[in-house]
Amino acid sequence: MSSRPYDNRAWLGVLPVVLIVAFSAVIPLMTVVNYSVQDILDFNSRFFVGFEWYRETLNDPRFVDAFLRQIGFSATVLALEIPLGIFVAKGLPKNSRMTPFLLVFLAVPLLIPWNVVGTIWQIFARADIGLLGVAINAMGIDYNYTSEPMHAWLTLVAMDIWHWTSLVALLSFAGLTSIPEPYYQAAELDGANRWQVLRFVELPRLKGVLTIAVLLRLMDSFMIYTEPFVLTGGGPGNTTTFLSQYLATMAVGQFDLGPAAAFSVIYFLFILLFCWLFYTSVVARDE
Amino acid sequence: MSWMAWTLPTALFFSAIAASLVTMTLIELRWPTVKRRGFLPMATTRGDRFFISLLSAAFIHLLWMLLVGGGLLWATVLAVFWGVALMRWG
């Protein structure tokens, strides 16, 4: 820990970004906060209602259910995608002629529009015509993601892993290639086995990229909307309705702007809290 | 500005936030912060502690609405005390 004061002049260089962020994020966010304390019938008839919509949202069982579902989903995909991404990155050859092709191949799922990913899986997993659905049923498992909540969940998790593990793998690969060869030679001289190399050489050097990977995946998975909307539509019942989909139903479907704004502010605060907790814990560990 | 649907309470709220950010900047220019360790489990700068106190104020109000209900005056009092303690000893 350094006791030297920071030189703050460099912050002036960030000013253009601050202005852009103010325009694209801060002002819209302030508007949402303004909406969240009013009952908006139409734009000319607005009534101040204080924290009414916040109370209503916090005591709404559907909000609480969607929130718990969201945490379950984010925790599941993070727990699977991060180790899997590292594993895939470890399997990639570092200096081969095939490496660029493999990297492009890996990046393909990342380039597909989210709507299309949902549609691909919607067809792929169908029990009557989809390759995956028919194959699973042919193995004697009665699989149908449109009627079984557990099947819908598994399909969503599988889709997310298919879509995003590449991101973790590419980031981890970038981190792995930056580890100098002498580290491995030293580990070999010390007689380290593969697990020890991973644990004591590679993982510490990957910490930076993995922090970014976890943060990106945490935020993205917490805000997931398009793919479940296309794949399951939030069903069967409400079993795969995540926060953003419930929010969209309120804001766009029912045009309840006040309650939807209060919902958004609470949603935003939780994302801010999770990201801050995670980022701080990583930075604090470094120090 | 009318599209932002301002109300007096939210205008006052954001003005207070803006004023405190400006004040924090001026204090920072006059007395640059030094990272230190208080009762929080990690070393923090003055700005870190300010951010934490704002974020925790938001959650104190949300929890109050969820668990206690009624008016929010006591939640605000609690948040202010917590914020001051955090800035001083955090």
Side-chain angles (χ1 to χ4, degrees):
Chain A
M1 189 167 57
S2 142
S3 59
R4 193 168 54 89
Y6 298 119
D7 183 353
N8 285 308
R9 276 172 302 180
W11 286 107
L12 287 175
V14 193
L15 212 55
V17 177
V18 172
L19 290 177
I20 292 171
V21 170
F23 187 74
S24 70
V26 178
I27 291 175
L29 187 66
M30 282 159 79
T31 311
V32 170
V33 173
N34 289 342
Y35 275 33
S36 72
V37 292
Q38 298 180 76
D39 192 0
I40 299 172
L41 302 175
D42 64 61
F43 202 73
N44 295 317
S45 4
R46 302 184 269 112
F47 304 98
F48 183 73
V49 292
F51 289 105
E52 185 56 36
W53 302 135
Y54 287 89
R55 290 196 183 91
E56 200 179 283
T57 304
L58 288 168
N59 292 307
D60 177 3
R62 284 182 301 171
F63 169 78
V64 177
D65 287 349
F67 185 77
L68 294 176
R69 242 176 258 136
Q70 188 75 67
I71 290 185
F73 180 75
S74 290
T76 310
V77 298
L78 273 178
L80 292 168
E81 283 171 18
I82 300 294
L84 199 60
I86 298 171
F87 182 73
V88 170
K90 286 271 291 168
L92 286 171
K94 274 188 197 165
N95 293 313
S96 149
R97 253 199 261 162
M98 285 300 288
T99 309
F101 294 103
L102 288 171
L103 292 178
V104 171
F105 193 64
L106 259 182
V108 168
L110 301 174
L111 304 176
I112 301 176
W114 296 3
N115 232 329
V116 179
V117 172
T119 312
I120 290 174
W121 277 79
Q122 206 250 347
I123 297 168
F124 182 51
R126 271 178 66 160
D128 52 352
I129 55 165
L131 180 61
L132 177 72
V134 171
I136 294 178
N137 275 299
M139 286 189 283
I141 301 165
D142 189 16
Y143 165 85
N144 188 346
Y145 75 88
T146 55
S147 60
E148 282 293 322
M150 183 48 84
H151 296 171
W153 262 83
L154 289 174
T155 315
L156 271 178
V157 169
M159 178 188 66
D160 203 80
I161 290 172
W162 177 85
H163 194 182
W164 289 111
T165 302
S166 306
L167 178 76
V168 183
L170 291 174
L171 284 170
S172 303
F173 183 72
L176 283 175
T177 48
S178 71
I179 301 175
E181 198 53 36
Y183 279 71
Y184 289 103
Q185 290 162 355
E188 200 181 329
L189 279 177
D190 288 341
N193 60 30
R194 285 175 72 173
W195 165 248
Q196 285 166 328
V197 170
L198 177 71
R199 169 73 188 78
F200 296 107
V201 178
E202 289 172 333
L203 282 183
R205 305 280 298 185
L206 283 178
K207 206 197 265 172
V209 286
L210 285 181
T211 306
I212 294 171
V214 172
L215 263 180
L216 283 175
R217 288 308 306 131
L218 176 68
M219 286 190 293
D220 269 351
S221 65
F222 214 78
M223 297 187 290
I224 191 165
Y225 174 72
T226 317
E227 298 106 309
F229 179 72
V230 177
L231 181 64
T232 63
N238 275 331
T239 48
T240 55
T241 301
F242 296 119
L243 284 173
S244 54
Q245 196 180 334
Y246 185 36
L247 176 61
T249 312
M250 282 168 87
V252 186
Q254 304 161 354
F255 212 66
D256 285 336
L257 290 182
F263 187 124
S264 307
V265 173
I266 298 172
Y267 193 178
F268 167 74
L269 285 171
F270 273 102
I271 293 185
L272 197 60
L273 176 71
F274 290 150
C275 292
W276 176 79
L277 278 178
F278 179 74
Y279 179 77
T280 309
S281 68
V282 172
V283 172
R285 219 183 310 145
D286 278 351
E287 286 168 358
Chain B
M1 287 297 271
S2 69
W3 66 272
M4 286 182 76
W6 282 104
T7 64
L8 183 65
T10 50
L12 289 174
F13 170 73
F14 283 118
S15 307
I17 301 264
S20 45
L21 287 179
V22 170
T23 313
M24 290 293 288
T25 310
L26 294 177
I27 294 175
E28 180 65 30
L29 290 173
R30 181 68 188 81
W31 300 283
T33 183
V34 177
K35 257 194 174 184
R36 67 166 168 80
R37 182 86 184 255
F39 64 77
L40 288 170
M42 67 284 180
T44 50
T45 63
R46 199 187 294 131
D48 290 336
R49 291 193 293 280
F50 183 63
F51 174 78
I52 299 168
S53 56
L54 283 185
L55 192 60
S56 42
F59 278 98
I60 287 171
H61 284 84
L62 287 181
L63 278 174
W64 193 277
M65 278 188 259
L66 186 67
L67 303 174
V68 185
L72 285 171
L73 181 67
W74 287 108
T76 310
V77 171
L78 183 65
V80 168
F81 272 106
W82 167 244
V84 170
L86 206 61
M87 292 302 283
R88 179 67 190 82
W89 298 290

